[in-house]
Amino acid sequence: MAAKNHVAPYVNPAQEPKEMAANDLRKESKTRLIVKERMQKAARFNAFYKQLGSNVKPEQKRIDYVLVFPNTSISEIEDEDDKHDFEKRMALREKFEAAMEEQGLQLQKLVIGDKVFTQIHCPFRRLCEEAELVSLEMPLKDCESENVDTPTFLDKFIRDNFVTDDQVDLVSAPFKMEHMNLYDGHDDPTNFFRPALRAILVEHILINIDLRTTGESARNLFKKGKLADMSPTALEQSLKAILQRYRSGSCCGCVKGNNELGDLQKVGLDYMMMEGVYTDKFVLHEESAYDPDADSKINAALPQDKNTLKLDPRLDLQLTWPRFFKFQPLWKIRNYFGEKIAFYFAWSGVLITSLWLPMLFGFAVFLYGLVESIQKTLNSNTNSGSGGNFTDLFRNIKESFDNDVTPFFAMFICIWGTLFLEAWKRKQSELAYQWDVEQFEENEPDRPEFYGTDRKIDPVTQEVDWYYPFRRQAWKFLLSISTLLFMICVVIISVSAVIVYRVIATVDYCRLLSSSECLMVSTIVSSVLNAISILILGKLYDWLAKKLTDWENHRTETKYNDSLIIKLFAFQFVNTYSACFYIAFARGRVDDNGILGLGAKYQDACEGTCMSQLSFQVLTLMITKPIPKFAADVIIPWLLKQWRARCQCCACIPFLRKLLRVDSKPKSEKTLLEIESEKPSLGPFTMAEYNEKILLYGLMMLFAVSFPLAPLLALLVLLLDIRIDAKRMLWWYQRPQPVIAEDIGTWYVVLQFLNFAGVVSNAFLIAFTSSWGSKYTTYEKLWIVIGFEHIVFVLKFLLAYLIPDTPSSVALAIRKKHYQYRKVLEEHEMKVKDNNTMDNETEVQETEVRQLKKKKKRNRESKELRKEGDGSPPVYSIRT
């Protein structure tokens, strides 16, 4: 988006009066020009649609955004300080609502229970003004993007049987209100902007409202309580003090007393949320005829024609998205949820598609190892005359992962990682072009939460720009790094505690138990304890990392997300993989004094080979990581639904009614707003999902040689997860706020790091941990590591070099897009010029006719004057 969220500067009282006056004059002059230009555009826009007349479909009023605040009155509050805070919030809310109406938004309040819902509708013209302000690209009418590739028989087969998207890709151009007739669907104001785009534009309006710049009318809007007597300057100082109190309490009080007053961020929607003026905000789902709780026969009988699905996007998504063995409807996801969420599902789809080959290879390697292990056990039992039992079967499965073929599987996985990233880069560039976001981050606005403390002259606009000095941010970065290192130490302590437990349980208790009971007490319990520790510490650091990133004061959303991603992944890398690295490279290599010096018998040696122990640890992590999400999204809601259906007596007990969400009102009697307001929020959806999937990807890449079934498990988890996510987003949770993005951000760098680390990790696992490498000396093992790394890195580099990041068809389409846009614009300008020429010619002809008439009139008058002046007597008419 092109518009920058530059905040209005807070003027230092020591500033020279002349400089202040000059700045005020420049701003006032600029504001007048902007207002005049905006009024002219609005007049031309209205004239254009008035000229279209009945060809335009009537605009339907829809709810674009919802703000929520408690339904309380001041008479219910007893404490004086609470009353003052209530008056302040009420005054801010009144002022903010007036500012929203000044922006052209239409408000409607609805009271439901103990909450007040402010429903916001943005008229079509105001959406167009905002779209032009942020330089959105919109599709041009009758300008289909040319497909340079000739579809093959396989392409047609895939399209007919697996493809779920049917939207035509049109050439797009930056939106201009004066070129309104060039854009596709301009005769349908209700559906001109896709649902996600309406929500994006409305939120952009709300977060850019600044209550400090409303002029002299600001004071008149504050008629409640103590704020009524404040001047505009005092009011701004009061808002500054409130914000400073908020900042001084951030980061768990670690920066208390910070005196960074500087410049405020905009006093808009985010400030209202921070001060508790509004307690919630969300975007409503589109109303749908589909009911997930209704009988499947009723839903199957719903009309599914093209016009119905266009007006019911959730039904359209339900019919195509959750289905197995179908491609995801990425265009429909993007139109409804925005590009950021659509890119996540596109990345998941590419990962699933590319996993089929390593899954088959890994399964074949496992079967080969299993056959070899069973054959070895049978030969051993035949020689000893004993029969097989459960312990033999379990040992066969563990040993099957470590066989002579696994080194080749590890090499294949490392090369596959590069192929996957190259395939994703090509898909990403294709989608970025089709969705017209390839230049988004170059035009990204500032975050509303950003505030500056120093000023400088912008080298482009030559205007005063507020910025946050790096020297201050560096200290915050240092504290964030220190916190990360401290949490890593906590992880190491946690892992060490689990190791000590396993060693003590094995030495002191296993001798009293059977082999299966010993396996349960030592190996399985320790693995579960480690998994629980990972989950708890991960949740704790997720919360801490967000607080630290908020405190760092990043200017753009991209930089904010990049910093948060690096923190999260750095911690999760150690938290998730530390136990695996210990088993692979440190376990069994303790000195004679035993672990922690407890004695020689307390050795943490691997049972059999450490590779089998590592395989079991990786298996445990891959199974336990998705369980909390699956339980929260599927199991617990299903149990609550069954409980509510079978235990109606719970509705009589208020505590149980609230805990079990027993509805006092049938769903059929509720409005869409009531239903959506009761749903939980998804939170930072893409951040959590990327983190979870990339940790799974890391287990597969870093320890491929130890667990060939990792691609199979990852494939099953992903196939199930994206279908659950489809249900979550469509029916179980509130609709997330759509966001524009051009790629997956720093997560791509994280994937590259895992690919690099995977080569090194697998090389050392093959040489120093696997049974295949145990027959070599240490010197030979080092050469194995060097040889493996060099071969794999050379192959990865060649593949990355030979495979272009952007498909040739997309590169050509981008060139054609610019040409087609220029052609359409030139034709439009020529048409306008011709119309102006015809109008000018008509005006010239009319002018000539008027001049000719005037000339004839003057000639008649001159003749009459000559007759009167030739001396002949006047002629009188005598009436008889």
Side-chain angles (χ1 to χ4, degrees), residues 389-436:
N389 52 34
F390 175 78
T391 305
D392 290 337
L393 176 62
F394 188 77
R395 186 175 63 251
N396 289 334
I397 294 175
K398 288 204 306 181
E399 292 177 355
S400 63
F401 297 124
D402 185 15
N403 57 71
D404 294 339
V405 186
T406 49
F408 300 98
F409 175 73
M411 180 178 291
F412 173 80
I413 279 289
C414 293
I415 296 172
W416 168 85
T418 298
L419 292 174
F420 162 64
L421 288 188
E422 292 301 315
W424 167 243
K425 281 195 290 186
R426 291 169 65 83
K427 183 66 174 180
Q428 180 178 267
S429 63
E430 179 184 352
L431 293 177
Y433 158 71
Q434 292 176 348
W435 295 345
D436 308 303

Side-chain angles (χ1 to χ4, degrees), residues 344 347 351 420 565 569 572-573 576-577 625 686-702 718 744-754:
Y344 162 71
W347 175 82
L351 180 57
F420 162 64
I565 288 169
F569 177 74
Q572 294 289 4
F573 183 87
T576 304
Y577 306 139
K625 289 291 283 184
T686 55
M687 184 73 68
E689 293 298 318
Y690 277 125
N691 195 33
E692 177 188 334
K693 304 305 182 298
I694 287 179
L695 288 174
L696 202 66
Y697 178 87
L699 285 170
M700 185 174 58
M701 292 299 301
L702 294 170
L718 288 168
I744 64 173
T746 307
W747 290 116
Y748 181 80
V749 180
V750 172
L751 290 168
Q752 285 183 313
F753 168 77
L754 286 175

Side-chain angles (χ1 to χ4, degrees), residues 355-366 409 711-712 715:
L355 271 174
W356 284 98
L357 193 57
M359 181 272 294
L360 294 174
F361 190 9
F363 190 69
V365 171
F366 167 72
F409 175 73
L712 174 61
L715 183 62

Side-chain angles (χ1 to χ4, degrees), residues 464-481:
V464 176
D465 184 25
W466 287 81
Y467 71 99
Y468 194 68
F470 178 75
R471 65 181 183 277
R472 298 193 178 195
Q473 209 166 34
W475 286 106
K476 295 184 176 183
F477 289 157
L478 183 62
L479 182 59
S480 296
I481 294 171

Side-chain angles (χ1 to χ4, degrees), residues 652-664:
C652 303
I653 306 174
F655 171 74
L656 289 178
R657 182 169 63 246
K658 184 176 181 181
L659 178 64
L660 301 176
R661 303 174 192 170
V662 177
D663 295 330
S664 58

Side-chain angles (χ1 to χ4, degrees), residues 17-151:
K18 291 183 179 179
E19 183 182 349
M20 293 170 58
N23 286 336
D24 292 341
L25 286 174
R26 283 195 297 269
K27 288 179 183 177
E28 185 177 355
S29 176
K30 186 176 179 180
T31 302
R32 287 178 179 175
L33 289 174
I34 292 173
V35 171
K36 184 178 179 181
E37 183 180 358
R38 183 176 174 182
M39 292 177 63
Q40 291 174 347
K41 285 183 179 180
R44 291 195 296 267
F45 183 86
N46 292 336
F48 169 74
Y49 273 95
K50 187 176 180 180
Q51 185 179 0
L52 289 179
S54 60
N55 294 325
V56 180
K57 298 178 182 178
E59 181 182 1
Q60 298 177 2
K61 192 171 183 179
R62 55 193 297 167
I63 302 172
D64 295 309
Y65 212 86
V66 179
L67 300 175
V68 187
F69 62 91
N71 181 26
T72 55
S73 63
I74 196 169
S75 59
E76 301 174 8
I77 303 173
E78 298 180 357
D79 187 77
E80 289 298 323
D81 292 335
D82 292 341
K83 284 185 178 181
H84 175 71
D85 292 339
F86 178 82
E87 289 178 345
K88 182 200 71 176
R89 288 193 296 269
M90 189 165 58
L92 283 172
R93 189 181 305 120
E94 183 180 347
K95 180 169 164 44
F96 189 71
E97 289 174 356
M100 286 192 285
E101 291 177 342
E102 287 179 7
Q103 287 289 329
L105 303 178
Q106 299 175 7
L107 311 181
Q108 181 182 10
K109 291 185 180 179
L110 182 64
V111 179
I112 301 177
D114 58 350
K115 295 179 181 178
V116 180
F117 296 86
T118 303
Q119 303 173 97
I120 302 172
H121 166 69
C122 187
F124 177 57
R125 195 188 76 188
R126 183 64 186 89
L127 287 172
C128 291
E129 291 173 354
E130 198 67 17
E132 181 173 351
L133 176 68
V134 299
S135 299
L136 281 180
E137 292 201 1
M138 298 297 294
L140 298 173
K141 181 180 63 176
D142 301 327
C143 196
E144 184 175 345
S145 180
E146 297 182 17
N147 187 6
V148 297
D149 293 334
T150 303

